[in-house]
Amino acid sequence: MRFILFIFLSVIGMVSYGKTSKKLENGVYHNEYGTRLIEIKNDTLKCFTLDPGTSGEAGMTGGLSYYPTAICQITEVSNTFFEINSIEGLIKRGVFKDISITEEASGNNAPYEISFEVPNAYRPIKFEVRVGTNLYSGVTEKGKCTIVLDRNGVNPPESFSFSFQPKYYVESSPAGQYFGVLCHRYPYEVNLDSEKNIVIKLPNITDILFYQYYIFGEYIQVLHHGIKWRGDYYKKFRTSSLKKIRIYN
């Protein structure tokens, strides 16, 4: 079935666009409005989105800056179609890389307090803490929030897990779709001490984080002088034009 799909895509591409290039060239490509870039380097594809702070007059005078939104492996499907899939774990590994989990003394029978600090994010972020079958939540204000657990249960909790997501987000397309990774879950249980509170600092959470994509089983098409992805045409930059932009990897 999948093989038939590939043949169908190839036929549609040839009928719609005529003769197409059979080579996916290395380089940097931009969409019509310059809001997104695609960088091709051998078998790796990177997506970048324009930093809004460098658009308008700032972009004209100081250049444009782009931040990464996805890193994908490229697999050739036919002469004109290539499948792209996010490289597993790269985004999540960066999120929790510099996590700091510390304990602070607390009096007996006082509530458990689990505090989250995100010093480099300005938007409100919702944290969820799961203890057994119980779910607690809190939203950051000025980069901090505290979630209180009950110590007075028959079986006091020994550990918890947590996840986070943005409280609000902006759709990625006019159809209301959102292409970013919304929920990030810490892959380990965190131990609880009967007389300690927990402080968790996550310096790698930024507002940009929630614009990063997770791409699975999507296709790019090679056309004359560029490529097509998600309905958008991307034209290859000239070498001289690349001097006017900054790409952050």
Side-chain angles (χ1 to χ4, degrees), residues 74-87:
I74 302 172
T75 304
E76 183 176 355
V77 174
S78 69
N79 287 340
T80 56
F81 283 92
F82 295 78
E83 183 176 348
I84 58 174
N85 293 280
S86 285
I87 298 175

Side-chain angles (χ1 to χ4, degrees), residues 92-107:
K92 292 186 177 181
R93 192 184 311 154
V95 173
F96 298 112
K97 179 182 177 181
D98 298 317
I99 187 173
S100 169
I101 302 176
T102 57
E103 296 178 334
E104 294 184 350
S106 174

Side-chain angles (χ1 to χ4, degrees), residues 99-225:
I99 187 173
S100 169
I101 302 176
T102 57
E103 296 178 334
E104 294 184 350
S106 174
N108 288 333
N109 299 320
Y112 287 105
E113 291 188 356
I114 302 173
S115 298
F116 294 95
E117 298 181 6
V118 284
N120 298 314
Y122 299 96
R123 66 168 60 189
I125 297 172
K126 180 181 179 181
F127 281 89
E128 292 188 341
V129 171
R130 183 172 293 277
V131 183
T133 59
N134 295 322
L135 185 65
Y136 305 82
S137 65
V139 178
T140 59
E141 293 185 11
K142 297 181 179 180
K144 297 181 179 181
C145 78
T146 298
I147 295 174
V148 179
L149 310 183
D150 184 8
R151 289 185 189 268
N152 298 322
V154 176
N155 296 310
E158 296 181 353
S159 65
F160 67 91
S161 60
F162 74 89
S163 62
F164 64 88
Q165 62 188 60
K167 179 68 174 176
Y168 310 104
Y169 63 90
V170 179
E171 290 82 1
S172 303
S173 74
Q177 297 169 299
Y178 186 80
F179 301 134
V181 180
L182 284 177
C183 184
H184 294 264
R185 185 175 301 279
Y186 188 56
Y188 308 105
E189 289 279 320
V190 180
N191 293 329
L192 276 172
D193 188 291
S194 60
E195 298 182 1
K196 301 288 180 62
N197 291 325
I198 302 292
V199 178
I200 300 175
K201 296 181 180 180
L202 295 154
N204 289 349
I205 297 179
T206 65
D207 294 340
I208 289 175
L209 169 68
F210 300 106
Y211 291 104
Q212 293 182 315
Y213 299 165
Y214 186 84
I215 296 170
F216 178 74
E218 296 193 18
Y219 298 90
I220 58 174
Q221 181 185 9
V222 180
L223 306 174
H224 281 305
H225 310 297

Side-chain angles (χ1 to χ4, degrees), residues 3-51:
F3 178 71
I4 295 174
L5 174 62
F6 296 157
I7 294 177
F8 177 75
L9 290 173
S10 298
V11 172
I12 291 297
M14 293 298 293
V15 171
S16 301
Y17 298 100
K19 184 179 179 181
T20 57
S21 169
K22 295 185 178 181
K23 183 180 180 182
L24 183 60
E25 297 181 352
N26 286 347
V28 178
Y29 300 77
H30 63 90
N31 66 354
E32 180 181 359
Y33 301 104
T35 55
R36 290 191 176 90
L37 303 182
I38 291 178
E39 181 183 49
I40 305 289
K41 189 174 182 180
N42 301 325
D43 62 350
T44 302
L45 177 147
K46 293 183 180 181
C47 300
F48 299 87
T49 298
L50 176 65
D51 182 348

